Tab-separated table of all heavy atoms in Angstrom:
chain	number	residue	atom	x	y	z
A	1	MET	N	-3.010	-42.175	-19.306
A	1	MET	CA	-3.809	-40.978	-19.445
A	1	MET	C	-3.144	-39.824	-18.711
A	1	MET	O	-3.167	-39.746	-17.491
A	1	MET	CB	-5.200	-41.217	-18.883
A	1	MET	CG	-5.952	-42.299	-19.562
A	1	MET	SD	-7.671	-41.924	-19.416
A	1	MET	CE	-8.334	-43.360	-20.130
A	2	VAL	N	-2.561	-38.952	-19.474
A	2	VAL	CA	-1.827	-37.832	-18.913
A	2	VAL	C	-2.754	-36.881	-18.166
A	2	VAL	O	-2.424	-36.390	-17.096
A	2	VAL	CB	-1.068	-37.085	-20.037
A	2	VAL	CG1	-0.387	-35.862	-19.487
A	2	VAL	CG2	-0.088	-38.009	-20.711
A	3	TRP	N	-3.944	-36.657	-18.707
A	3	TRP	CA	-4.846	-35.692	-18.074
A	3	TRP	C	-5.312	-36.164	-16.702
A	3	TRP	O	-5.575	-35.375	-15.827
A	3	TRP	CB	-6.042	-35.380	-18.975
A	3	TRP	CG	-6.804	-36.604	-19.404
A	3	TRP	CD1	-6.591	-37.353	-20.512
A	3	TRP	CD2	-7.870	-37.227	-18.708
A	3	TRP	NE1	-7.456	-38.406	-20.554
A	3	TRP	CE2	-8.263	-38.343	-19.454
A	3	TRP	CE3	-8.536	-36.944	-17.521
A	3	TRP	CZ2	-9.285	-39.195	-19.039
A	3	TRP	CZ3	-9.562	-37.790	-17.119
A	3	TRP	CH2	-9.919	-38.894	-17.885
A	4	ALA	N	-5.367	-37.494	-16.483
A	4	ALA	CA	-5.769	-38.012	-15.172
A	4	ALA	C	-4.707	-37.662	-14.117
A	4	ALA	O	-5.031	-37.342	-12.982
A	4	ALA	CB	-5.994	-39.512	-15.231
A	5	MET	N	-3.453	-37.728	-14.536
A	5	MET	CA	-2.379	-37.388	-13.605
A	5	MET	C	-2.382	-35.887	-13.304
A	5	MET	O	-2.102	-35.469	-12.201
A	5	MET	CB	-1.020	-37.776	-14.204
A	5	MET	CG	-0.831	-39.274	-14.350
A	5	MET	SD	-0.788	-40.095	-12.766
A	5	MET	CE	0.828	-39.662	-12.236
A	6	ALA	N	-2.711	-35.095	-14.298
A	6	ALA	CA	-2.711	-33.646	-14.118
A	6	ALA	C	-3.845	-33.205	-13.196
A	6	ALA	O	-3.735	-32.202	-12.507
A	6	ALA	CB	-2.830	-32.959	-15.472
A	7	GLU	N	-4.944	-33.948	-13.202
A	7	GLU	CA	-6.087	-33.579	-12.355
A	7	GLU	C	-5.776	-33.745	-10.879
A	7	GLU	O	-6.294	-33.021	-10.048
A	7	GLU	CB	-7.303	-34.439	-12.714
A	7	GLU	CG	-8.023	-33.966	-13.949
A	7	GLU	CD	-9.255	-34.802	-14.236
A	7	GLU	OE1	-9.680	-35.559	-13.339
A	7	GLU	OE2	-9.779	-34.708	-15.341
A	8	ARG	N	-4.933	-34.714	-10.540
A	8	ARG	CA	-4.620	-34.963	-9.133
A	8	ARG	C	-3.700	-33.859	-8.634
A	8	ARG	O	-2.620	-33.647	-9.172
A	8	ARG	CB	-3.943	-36.311	-8.987
A	8	ARG	CG	-3.672	-36.638	-7.541
A	8	ARG	CD	-3.170	-38.049	-7.365
A	8	ARG	NE	-2.978	-38.289	-5.965
A	8	ARG	CZ	-1.897	-38.851	-5.457
A	8	ARG	NH1	-0.951	-39.261	-6.234
A	8	ARG	NH2	-1.791	-39.021	-4.161
A	9	LYS	N	-4.113	-33.195	-7.621
A	9	LYS	CA	-3.326	-32.098	-7.070
A	9	LYS	C	-2.421	-32.627	-5.948
A	9	LYS	O	-2.748	-33.597	-5.285
A	9	LYS	CB	-4.271	-31.025	-6.502
A	9	LYS	CG	-5.125	-30.390	-7.563
A	9	LYS	CD	-6.093	-29.395	-6.938
A	9	LYS	CE	-6.971	-28.779	-7.985
A	9	LYS	NZ	-7.925	-29.714	-8.556
A	10	PRO	N	-1.295	-31.987	-5.728
A	10	PRO	CA	-0.427	-32.392	-4.624
A	10	PRO	C	-1.143	-32.326	-3.275
A	10	PRO	O	-0.781	-33.015	-2.348
A	10	PRO	CB	0.720	-31.393	-4.681
A	10	PRO	CG	0.708	-30.869	-6.065
A	10	PRO	CD	-0.705	-30.936	-6.540
A	11	ASP	N	-2.199	-31.495	-3.179
A	11	ASP	CA	-2.934	-31.375	-1.924
A	11	ASP	C	-3.655	-32.673	-1.567
A	11	ASP	O	-3.946	-32.938	-0.404
A	11	ASP	CB	-3.969	-30.245	-2.007
A	11	ASP	CG	-3.289	-28.910	-2.269
A	11	ASP	OD1	-2.087	-28.801	-1.950
A	11	ASP	OD2	-3.948	-28.003	-2.779
A	12	ASP	N	-3.971	-33.504	-2.603
A	12	ASP	CA	-4.658	-34.767	-2.352
A	12	ASP	C	-3.758	-35.758	-1.615
A	12	ASP	O	-4.241	-36.678	-0.976
A	12	ASP	CB	-5.109	-35.405	-3.678
A	12	ASP	CG	-6.145	-34.536	-4.386
A	12	ASP	OD1	-6.707	-33.633	-3.726
A	12	ASP	OD2	-6.369	-34.768	-5.575
A	13	GLU	N	-2.469	-35.557	-1.713
A	13	GLU	CA	-1.501	-36.458	-1.098
A	13	GLU	C	-1.369	-36.130	0.393
A	13	GLU	O	-1.212	-34.982	0.774
A	13	GLU	CB	-0.173	-36.261	-1.815
A	13	GLU	CG	0.949	-37.087	-1.298
A	13	GLU	CD	2.215	-36.827	-2.085
A	13	GLU	OE1	2.629	-35.657	-2.166
A	13	GLU	OE2	2.755	-37.796	-2.610
A	14	THR	N	-1.415	-37.148	1.209
A	14	THR	CA	-1.294	-36.902	2.646
A	14	THR	C	0.169	-36.661	3.015
A	14	THR	O	1.085	-37.021	2.267
A	14	THR	CB	-1.824	-38.101	3.458
A	14	THR	OG1	-0.978	-39.224	3.195
A	14	THR	CG2	-3.264	-38.419	3.101
A	15	ASP	N	0.372	-36.068	4.175
A	15	ASP	CA	1.738	-35.826	4.639
A	15	ASP	C	2.491	-37.132	4.825
A	15	ASP	O	3.688	-37.211	4.535
A	15	ASP	CB	1.713	-35.051	5.965
A	15	ASP	CG	1.400	-33.579	5.746
A	15	ASP	OD1	1.491	-33.120	4.591
A	15	ASP	OD2	1.065	-32.906	6.733
A	16	ALA	N	1.795	-38.153	5.308
A	16	ALA	CA	2.447	-39.444	5.528
A	16	ALA	C	2.949	-40.026	4.206
A	16	ALA	O	4.071	-40.550	4.150
A	16	ALA	CB	1.482	-40.419	6.191
A	17	GLU	N	2.144	-39.933	3.152
A	17	GLU	CA	2.576	-40.441	1.842
A	17	GLU	C	3.791	-39.671	1.338
A	17	GLU	O	4.737	-40.254	0.827
A	17	GLU	CB	1.443	-40.311	0.812
A	17	GLU	CG	0.302	-41.277	1.001
A	17	GLU	CD	-0.846	-40.985	0.039
A	17	GLU	OE1	-0.887	-39.855	-0.515
A	17	GLU	OE2	-1.684	-41.872	-0.141
A	18	ARG	N	3.743	-38.368	1.489
A	18	ARG	CA	4.858	-37.534	1.028
A	18	ARG	C	6.135	-37.864	1.791
A	18	ARG	O	7.205	-38.012	1.205
A	18	ARG	CB	4.511	-36.056	1.207
A	18	ARG	CG	5.540	-35.122	0.579
A	18	ARG	CD	5.185	-33.677	0.797
A	18	ARG	NE	5.190	-33.303	2.194
A	18	ARG	CZ	6.299	-33.080	2.922
A	18	ARG	NH1	7.471	-33.192	2.369
A	18	ARG	NH2	6.212	-32.758	4.193
A	19	ARG	N	6.014	-38.016	3.118
A	19	ARG	CA	7.188	-38.356	3.928
A	19	ARG	C	7.725	-39.731	3.575
A	19	ARG	O	8.944	-39.937	3.531
A	19	ARG	CB	6.833	-38.291	5.415
A	19	ARG	CG	6.779	-36.863	5.948
A	19	ARG	CD	6.769	-36.833	7.463
A	19	ARG	NE	5.639	-37.568	8.017
A	19	ARG	CZ	4.458	-37.028	8.302
A	19	ARG	NH1	4.259	-35.756	8.113
A	19	ARG	NH2	3.493	-37.769	8.804
A	20	ARG	N	6.821	-40.678	3.309
A	20	ARG	CA	7.249	-42.036	2.943
A	20	ARG	C	8.013	-42.015	1.612
A	20	ARG	O	9.077	-42.611	1.482
A	20	ARG	CB	6.036	-42.956	2.851
A	20	ARG	CG	6.381	-44.406	2.714
A	20	ARG	CD	5.232	-45.372	2.942
A	20	ARG	NE	3.915	-44.959	2.487
A	20	ARG	CZ	2.930	-44.458	3.252
A	20	ARG	NH1	3.101	-44.299	4.523
A	20	ARG	NH2	1.768	-44.131	2.764
A	21	ARG	N	7.482	-41.274	0.634
A	21	ARG	CA	8.163	-41.175	-0.655
A	21	ARG	C	9.506	-40.473	-0.511
A	21	ARG	O	10.502	-40.873	-1.117
A	21	ARG	CB	7.300	-40.415	-1.672
A	21	ARG	CG	6.212	-41.245	-2.288
A	21	ARG	CD	5.549	-40.575	-3.479
A	21	ARG	NE	5.145	-39.196	-3.252
A	21	ARG	CZ	5.739	-38.128	-3.807
A	21	ARG	NH1	6.743	-38.268	-4.615
A	21	ARG	NH2	5.309	-36.911	-3.541
A	22	ARG	N	9.549	-39.443	0.302
A	22	ARG	CA	10.794	-38.696	0.500
A	22	ARG	C	11.842	-39.574	1.195
A	22	ARG	O	13.015	-39.569	0.819
A	22	ARG	CB	10.528	-37.439	1.331
A	22	ARG	CG	11.741	-36.570	1.509
A	22	ARG	CD	11.378	-35.245	2.166
A	22	ARG	NE	12.494	-34.354	2.186
A	22	ARG	CZ	13.422	-34.328	3.146
A	22	ARG	NH1	13.339	-35.140	4.165
A	22	ARG	NH2	14.422	-33.480	3.078
A	23	ALA	N	11.424	-40.330	2.196
A	23	ALA	CA	12.344	-41.225	2.903
A	23	ALA	C	12.903	-42.278	1.948
A	23	ALA	O	14.109	-42.571	1.975
A	23	ALA	CB	11.636	-41.892	4.075
A	24	GLN	N	12.038	-42.834	1.111
A	24	GLN	CA	12.479	-43.830	0.126
A	24	GLN	C	13.500	-43.205	-0.830
A	24	GLN	O	14.540	-43.793	-1.113
A	24	GLN	CB	11.271	-44.369	-0.651
A	24	GLN	CG	11.632	-45.358	-1.732
A	24	GLN	CD	12.156	-46.654	-1.180
A	24	GLN	OE1	11.826	-47.047	-0.061
A	24	GLN	NE2	12.994	-47.316	-1.930
A	25	PHE	N	13.208	-42.014	-1.312
A	25	PHE	CA	14.120	-41.322	-2.220
A	25	PHE	C	15.481	-41.093	-1.559
A	25	PHE	O	16.531	-41.346	-2.154
A	25	PHE	CB	13.509	-39.986	-2.658
A	25	PHE	CG	14.483	-39.087	-3.348
A	25	PHE	CD1	14.837	-39.322	-4.661
A	25	PHE	CD2	15.055	-38.027	-2.674
A	25	PHE	CE1	15.756	-38.498	-5.302
A	25	PHE	CE2	15.966	-37.195	-3.305
A	25	PHE	CZ	16.314	-37.438	-4.617
A	26	LEU	N	15.467	-40.622	-0.301
A	26	LEU	CA	16.720	-40.338	0.389
A	26	LEU	C	17.519	-41.613	0.643
A	26	LEU	O	18.749	-41.609	0.537
A	26	LEU	CB	16.449	-39.605	1.703
A	26	LEU	CG	15.929	-38.172	1.534
A	26	LEU	CD1	15.580	-37.585	2.887
A	26	LEU	CD2	16.926	-37.302	0.798
A	27	ARG	N	16.817	-42.714	0.968
A	27	ARG	CA	17.518	-43.996	1.145
A	27	ARG	C	18.211	-44.416	-0.144
A	27	ARG	O	19.388	-44.812	-0.132
A	27	ARG	CB	16.533	-45.089	1.567
A	27	ARG	CG	16.290	-45.159	3.058
A	27	ARG	CD	15.600	-46.463	3.435
A	27	ARG	NE	14.315	-46.623	2.761
A	27	ARG	CZ	13.159	-46.180	3.225
A	27	ARG	NH1	13.118	-45.538	4.375
A	27	ARG	NH2	12.044	-46.387	2.564
A	28	GLU	N	17.478	-44.358	-1.258
A	28	GLU	CA	18.055	-44.756	-2.542
A	28	GLU	C	19.206	-43.835	-2.931
A	28	GLU	O	20.219	-44.290	-3.464
A	28	GLU	CB	16.980	-44.747	-3.627
A	28	GLU	CG	15.975	-45.858	-3.451
A	28	GLU	CD	14.830	-45.777	-4.439
A	28	GLU	OE1	14.787	-44.829	-5.247
A	28	GLU	OE2	13.967	-46.669	-4.400
A	29	ARG	N	19.061	-42.549	-2.647
A	29	ARG	CA	20.117	-41.590	-2.979
A	29	ARG	C	21.381	-41.880	-2.170
A	29	ARG	O	22.488	-41.895	-2.725
A	29	ARG	CB	19.618	-40.174	-2.688
A	29	ARG	CG	20.615	-39.098	-2.969
A	29	ARG	CD	19.978	-37.731	-2.738
A	29	ARG	NE	20.939	-36.679	-2.836
A	29	ARG	CZ	21.624	-36.177	-1.812
A	29	ARG	NH1	21.412	-36.632	-0.593
A	29	ARG	NH2	22.496	-35.224	-1.991
A	30	ASN	N	21.226	-42.122	-0.874
A	30	ASN	CA	22.386	-42.436	-0.041
A	30	ASN	C	23.054	-43.721	-0.478
A	30	ASN	O	24.285	-43.816	-0.498
A	30	ASN	CB	21.984	-42.519	1.432
A	30	ASN	CG	21.693	-41.161	2.019
A	30	ASN	OD1	22.183	-40.153	1.527
A	30	ASN	ND2	20.888	-41.115	3.065
A	31	GLU	N	22.247	-44.713	-0.854
A	31	GLU	CA	22.794	-45.976	-1.329
A	31	GLU	C	23.607	-45.758	-2.610
A	31	GLU	O	24.700	-46.302	-2.766
A	31	GLU	CB	21.649	-46.955	-1.599
A	31	GLU	CG	22.096	-48.336	-2.000
A	31	GLU	CD	20.917	-49.261	-2.240
A	31	GLU	OE1	19.833	-49.024	-1.661
A	31	GLU	OE2	21.083	-50.213	-3.007
A	32	ALA	N	23.087	-44.930	-3.511
A	32	ALA	CA	23.791	-44.651	-4.765
A	32	ALA	C	25.101	-43.916	-4.496
A	32	ALA	O	26.132	-44.215	-5.117
A	32	ALA	CB	22.903	-43.831	-5.690
A	33	ILE	N	25.084	-42.980	-3.567
A	33	ILE	CA	26.301	-42.230	-3.233
A	33	ILE	C	27.350	-43.163	-2.639
A	33	ILE	O	28.529	-43.111	-3.003
A	33	ILE	CB	25.980	-41.066	-2.277
A	33	ILE	CG1	25.185	-39.998	-3.026
A	33	ILE	CG2	27.245	-40.483	-1.667
A	33	ILE	CD1	24.628	-38.905	-2.141
A	34	GLU	N	26.928	-44.041	-1.731
A	34	GLU	CA	27.866	-44.988	-1.122
A	34	GLU	C	28.460	-45.922	-2.177
A	34	GLU	O	29.660	-46.207	-2.159
A	34	GLU	CB	27.164	-45.801	-0.040
A	34	GLU	CG	26.839	-44.999	1.200
A	34	GLU	CD	25.971	-45.770	2.180
A	34	GLU	OE1	25.758	-46.982	1.968
A	34	GLU	OE2	25.508	-45.157	3.155
A	35	LEU	N	27.616	-46.395	-3.068
A	35	LEU	CA	28.098	-47.283	-4.126
A	35	LEU	C	29.120	-46.576	-5.000
A	35	LEU	O	30.170	-47.126	-5.335
A	35	LEU	CB	26.922	-47.768	-4.972
A	35	LEU	CG	27.275	-48.676	-6.149
A	35	LEU	CD1	27.901	-49.970	-5.642
A	35	LEU	CD2	26.047	-48.962	-6.976
A	36	ARG	N	28.824	-45.341	-5.364
A	36	ARG	CA	29.747	-44.587	-6.214
A	36	ARG	C	31.083	-44.388	-5.509
A	36	ARG	O	32.138	-44.506	-6.123
A	36	ARG	CB	29.119	-43.240	-6.563
A	36	ARG	CG	29.879	-42.513	-7.643
A	36	ARG	CD	29.143	-41.311	-8.126
A	36	ARG	NE	28.865	-40.406	-7.019
A	36	ARG	CZ	27.960	-39.441	-7.039
A	36	ARG	NH1	27.217	-39.264	-8.100
A	36	ARG	NH2	27.776	-38.666	-5.997
A	37	GLU	N	31.042	-44.097	-4.222
A	37	GLU	CA	32.282	-43.910	-3.468
A	37	GLU	C	33.087	-45.203	-3.385
A	37	GLU	O	34.310	-45.172	-3.390
A	37	GLU	CB	31.978	-43.385	-2.059
A	37	GLU	CG	31.511	-41.956	-2.044
A	37	GLU	CD	32.506	-41.000	-2.682
A	37	GLU	OE1	33.708	-41.104	-2.408
A	37	GLU	OE2	32.068	-40.157	-3.477
A	38	ARG	N	32.381	-46.339	-3.300
A	38	ARG	CA	33.083	-47.623	-3.251
A	38	ARG	C	33.721	-47.957	-4.587
A	38	ARG	O	34.773	-48.576	-4.641
A	38	ARG	CB	32.099	-48.744	-2.888
A	38	ARG	CG	32.035	-49.043	-1.431
A	38	ARG	CD	31.417	-50.396	-1.177
A	38	ARG	NE	30.256	-50.680	-1.995
A	38	ARG	CZ	28.997	-50.614	-1.589
A	38	ARG	NH1	28.732	-50.256	-0.352
A	38	ARG	NH2	28.008	-50.910	-2.394
A	39	VAL	N	33.074	-47.579	-5.674
A	39	VAL	CA	33.547	-47.956	-7.005
A	39	VAL	C	34.669	-47.045	-7.490
A	39	VAL	O	35.567	-47.484	-8.185
A	39	VAL	CB	32.369	-47.932	-8.007
A	39	VAL	CG1	32.846	-48.089	-9.428
A	39	VAL	CG2	31.395	-49.050	-7.663
A	40	LYS	N	34.643	-45.784	-7.112
A	40	LYS	CA	35.611	-44.805	-7.610
A	40	LYS	C	37.074	-45.214	-7.463
A	40	LYS	O	37.820	-45.103	-8.430
A	40	LYS	CB	35.405	-43.471	-6.894
A	40	LYS	CG	34.690	-42.453	-7.712
A	40	LYS	CD	34.743	-41.137	-6.985
A	40	LYS	CE	33.518	-40.326	-7.280
A	40	LYS	NZ	33.462	-39.108	-6.521
A	41	PRO	N	37.522	-45.651	-6.286
A	41	PRO	CA	38.949	-45.975	-6.149
A	41	PRO	C	39.401	-47.048	-7.139
A	41	PRO	O	40.497	-46.978	-7.667
A	41	PRO	CB	39.084	-46.472	-4.714
A	41	PRO	CG	37.928	-45.893	-3.995
A	41	PRO	CD	36.830	-45.783	-5.010
A	42	ARG	N	38.554	-48.024	-7.405
A	42	ARG	CA	38.924	-49.077	-8.354
A	42	ARG	C	39.080	-48.502	-9.743
A	42	ARG	O	39.982	-48.859	-10.489
A	42	ARG	CB	37.869	-50.176	-8.381
A	42	ARG	CG	37.784	-50.935	-7.091
A	42	ARG	CD	36.755	-52.034	-7.194
A	42	ARG	NE	36.401	-52.471	-5.862
A	42	ARG	CZ	35.262	-53.024	-5.543
A	42	ARG	NH1	34.354	-53.227	-6.455
A	42	ARG	NH2	35.017	-53.380	-4.317
A	43	ARG	N	38.150	-47.613	-10.094
A	43	ARG	CA	38.204	-47.013	-11.428
A	43	ARG	C	39.486	-46.196	-11.578
A	43	ARG	O	40.156	-46.252	-12.594
A	43	ARG	CB	36.973	-46.135	-11.629
A	43	ARG	CG	36.767	-45.747	-13.066
A	43	ARG	CD	35.539	-44.910	-13.246
A	43	ARG	NE	34.360	-45.493	-12.635
A	43	ARG	CZ	33.310	-44.806	-12.230
A	43	ARG	NH1	33.290	-43.499	-12.365
A	43	ARG	NH2	32.281	-45.404	-11.696
A	44	ALA	N	39.814	-45.428	-10.548
A	44	ALA	CA	41.016	-44.601	-10.595
A	44	ALA	C	42.263	-45.478	-10.663
A	44	ALA	O	43.208	-45.189	-11.410
A	44	ALA	CB	41.065	-43.698	-9.369
A	45	ARG	N	42.277	-46.560	-9.910
A	45	ARG	CA	43.424	-47.470	-9.912
A	45	ARG	C	43.580	-48.119	-11.277
A	45	ARG	O	44.696	-48.221	-11.803
A	45	ARG	CB	43.237	-48.533	-8.833
A	45	ARG	CG	44.399	-49.492	-8.747
A	45	ARG	CD	44.277	-50.396	-7.535
A	45	ARG	NE	45.437	-51.250	-7.430
A	45	ARG	CZ	45.464	-52.505	-7.862
A	45	ARG	NH1	44.404	-53.046	-8.414
A	45	ARG	NH2	46.556	-53.229	-7.742
A	46	ALA	N	42.474	-48.545	-11.848
A	46	ALA	CA	42.534	-49.164	-13.173
A	46	ALA	C	43.057	-48.175	-14.203
A	46	ALA	O	43.862	-48.532	-15.077
A	46	ALA	CB	41.152	-49.676	-13.575
A	47	ALA	N	42.628	-46.925	-14.104
A	47	ALA	CA	43.106	-45.903	-15.038
A	47	ALA	C	44.609	-45.683	-14.870
A	47	ALA	O	45.335	-45.525	-15.856
A	47	ALA	CB	42.344	-44.596	-14.818
A	48	ARG	N	45.088	-45.680	-13.621
A	48	ARG	CA	46.529	-45.524	-13.382
A	48	ARG	C	47.306	-46.691	-13.970
A	48	ARG	O	48.360	-46.503	-14.582
A	48	ARG	CB	46.809	-45.433	-11.876
A	48	ARG	CG	46.687	-44.042	-11.316
A	48	ARG	CD	47.351	-43.916	-9.961
A	48	ARG	NE	47.030	-45.004	-9.046
A	48	ARG	CZ	45.972	-45.028	-8.228
A	48	ARG	NH1	45.139	-44.013	-8.206
A	48	ARG	NH2	45.755	-46.050	-7.442
A	49	MET	N	46.778	-47.898	-13.795
A	49	MET	CA	47.456	-49.081	-14.330
A	49	MET	C	47.525	-49.032	-15.855
A	49	MET	O	48.550	-49.375	-16.442
A	49	MET	CB	46.734	-50.356	-13.890
A	49	MET	CG	46.731	-50.559	-12.404
A	49	MET	SD	48.409	-50.694	-11.799
A	49	MET	CE	48.301	-52.206	-10.916
A	50	ARG	N	46.436	-48.603	-16.487
A	50	ARG	CA	46.437	-48.490	-17.946
A	50	ARG	C	47.458	-47.460	-18.412
A	50	ARG	O	48.187	-47.672	-19.384
A	50	ARG	CB	45.044	-48.122	-18.459
A	50	ARG	CG	44.081	-49.279	-18.480
A	50	ARG	CD	42.819	-48.950	-19.268
A	50	ARG	NE	42.092	-47.814	-18.716
A	50	ARG	CZ	41.182	-47.885	-17.756
A	50	ARG	NH1	40.859	-49.066	-17.231
A	50	ARG	NH2	40.569	-46.809	-17.317
A	51	GLN	N	47.516	-46.338	-17.705
A	51	GLN	CA	48.478	-45.299	-18.055
A	51	GLN	C	49.908	-45.817	-17.912
A	51	GLN	O	50.759	-45.574	-18.772
A	51	GLN	CB	48.258	-44.069	-17.163
A	51	GLN	CG	49.254	-42.948	-17.379
A	51	GLN	CD	49.179	-42.335	-18.763
A	51	GLN	OE1	48.185	-42.463	-19.460
A	51	GLN	NE2	50.243	-41.672	-19.160
A	52	GLN	N	50.185	-46.542	-16.825
A	52	GLN	CA	51.523	-47.100	-16.636
A	52	GLN	C	51.874	-48.082	-17.748
A	52	GLN	O	52.995	-48.095	-18.248
A	52	GLN	CB	51.604	-47.801	-15.283
A	52	GLN	CG	51.630	-46.852	-14.122
A	52	GLN	CD	51.543	-47.575	-12.784
A	52	GLN	OE1	51.422	-48.797	-12.736
A	52	GLN	NE2	51.586	-46.821	-11.697
A	53	MET	N	50.898	-48.899	-18.137
A	53	MET	CA	51.144	-49.859	-19.209
A	53	MET	C	51.433	-49.120	-20.522
A	53	MET	O	52.326	-49.510	-21.278
A	53	MET	CB	49.928	-50.773	-19.375
A	53	MET	CG	50.140	-51.893	-20.342
A	53	MET	SD	51.519	-52.974	-19.893
A	53	MET	CE	50.811	-53.853	-18.529
A	54	ARG	N	50.693	-48.048	-20.779
A	54	ARG	CA	50.942	-47.261	-21.985
A	54	ARG	C	52.365	-46.697	-21.974
A	54	ARG	O	53.054	-46.706	-22.990
A	54	ARG	CB	49.945	-46.104	-22.079
A	54	ARG	CG	48.821	-46.395	-23.027
A	54	ARG	CD	47.908	-45.195	-23.172
A	54	ARG	NE	46.760	-45.461	-22.333
A	54	ARG	CZ	46.167	-44.635	-21.499
A	54	ARG	NH1	46.567	-43.410	-21.389
A	54	ARG	NH2	45.160	-44.991	-20.771
A	55	MET	N	52.778	-46.188	-20.819
A	55	MET	CA	54.107	-45.595	-20.734
A	55	MET	C	55.195	-46.664	-20.882
A	55	MET	O	56.247	-46.408	-21.461
A	55	MET	CB	54.275	-44.852	-19.402
A	55	MET	CG	53.374	-43.643	-19.275
A	55	MET	SD	53.499	-42.520	-20.660
A	55	MET	CE	55.105	-41.806	-20.347
A	56	ARG	N	54.958	-47.858	-20.370
A	56	ARG	CA	55.942	-48.926	-20.491
A	56	ARG	C	56.124	-49.384	-21.933
A	56	ARG	O	57.210	-49.770	-22.325
A	56	ARG	CB	55.518	-50.118	-19.648
A	56	ARG	CG	56.099	-50.089	-18.263
A	56	ARG	CD	55.782	-51.348	-17.523
A	56	ARG	NE	55.021	-50.949	-16.338
A	56	ARG	CZ	53.958	-51.561	-15.864
A	56	ARG	NH1	53.507	-52.638	-16.428
A	56	ARG	NH2	53.349	-51.101	-14.810
A	57	THR	N	55.024	-49.390	-22.681
A	57	THR	CA	55.091	-49.927	-24.038
A	57	THR	C	55.369	-48.845	-25.078
A	57	THR	O	55.512	-49.145	-26.252
A	57	THR	CB	53.765	-50.631	-24.407
A	57	THR	OG1	52.688	-49.720	-24.255
A	57	THR	CG2	53.538	-51.849	-23.510
A	58	PHE	N	55.467	-47.595	-24.633
A	58	PHE	CA	55.721	-46.498	-25.568
A	58	PHE	C	57.150	-46.531	-26.046
A	58	PHE	O	58.076	-46.695	-25.259
A	58	PHE	CB	55.404	-45.167	-24.874
A	58	PHE	CG	55.572	-43.976	-25.778
A	58	PHE	CD1	54.614	-43.692	-26.732
A	58	PHE	CD2	56.685	-43.169	-25.674
A	58	PHE	CE1	54.752	-42.604	-27.564
A	58	PHE	CE2	56.826	-42.070	-26.496
A	58	PHE	CZ	55.861	-41.795	-27.450
A	59	ARG	N	57.341	-46.384	-27.358
A	59	ARG	CA	58.703	-46.369	-27.929
A	59	ARG	C	59.094	-44.939	-28.273
A	59	ARG	O	58.366	-44.247	-28.975
A	59	ARG	CB	58.743	-47.206	-29.217
A	59	ARG	CG	58.286	-48.595	-29.017
A	59	ARG	CD	59.439	-49.516	-29.209
A	59	ARG	NE	58.947	-50.864	-29.008
A	59	ARG	CZ	59.704	-51.864	-28.709
A	59	ARG	NH1	60.988	-51.690	-28.596
A	59	ARG	NH2	59.207	-53.048	-28.522
A	60	TRP	N	60.238	-44.511	-27.796
A	60	TRP	CA	60.708	-43.148	-28.066
A	60	TRP	C	61.223	-43.048	-29.457
A	60	TRP	O	61.909	-43.558	-30.099
A	60	TRP	CB	61.773	-42.723	-27.060
A	60	TRP	CG	61.200	-42.591	-25.688
A	60	TRP	CD1	61.261	-43.497	-24.687
A	60	TRP	CD2	60.432	-41.482	-25.197
A	60	TRP	NE1	60.585	-43.034	-23.594
A	60	TRP	CE2	60.078	-41.799	-23.875
A	60	TRP	CE3	60.032	-40.282	-25.733
A	60	TRP	CZ2	59.339	-40.933	-23.098
A	60	TRP	CZ3	59.296	-39.444	-24.960
A	60	TRP	CH2	58.942	-39.758	-23.647
């Protein structure tokens, strides 16, 4: 029911609930950023290896 969600105002939410949701969001965001940073070097290395293989097998 969309209208039920629209009736609830942000004022009904307590500060503690808002802070808890914000903390959860920031934790998940930091985790996602760390994961992306861990994965990036592998992706870049794999791309370099593919490029090298292409250059090795290329016939002039």
Side-chain angles (χ1 to χ4, degrees):
M1 299 208 185
V2 176
W3 55 270
M5 293 295 284
E7 280 183 14
R8 183 172 182 227
K9 296 177 181 69
D11 299 337
D12 296 345
E13 179 179 56
T14 65
D15 284 345
E17 288 174 342
R18 188 181 64 77
R19 282 194 301 269
R20 190 166 36 259
R21 281 191 311 109
R22 184 172 187 273
Q24 177 68 27
F25 168 77
L26 291 175
R27 274 194 301 272
E28 290 174 358
R29 179 176 173 268
N30 287 336
E31 184 179 334
I33 290 171
E34 289 172 9
L35 178 63
R36 191 171 57 198
E37 289 303 315
R38 267 198 317 258
V39 171
K40 257 189 211 175
R42 294 182 197 154
R43 194 179 309 155
R45 181 171 183 262
R48 274 197 314 272
M49 297 299 233
R50 283 192 300 273
Q51 177 64 20
Q52 288 173 358
M53 187 59 74
R54 260 184 259 135
M55 294 308 288
R56 267 186 240 138
T57 57
F58 183 76
R59 304 247 180 201
W60 293 99

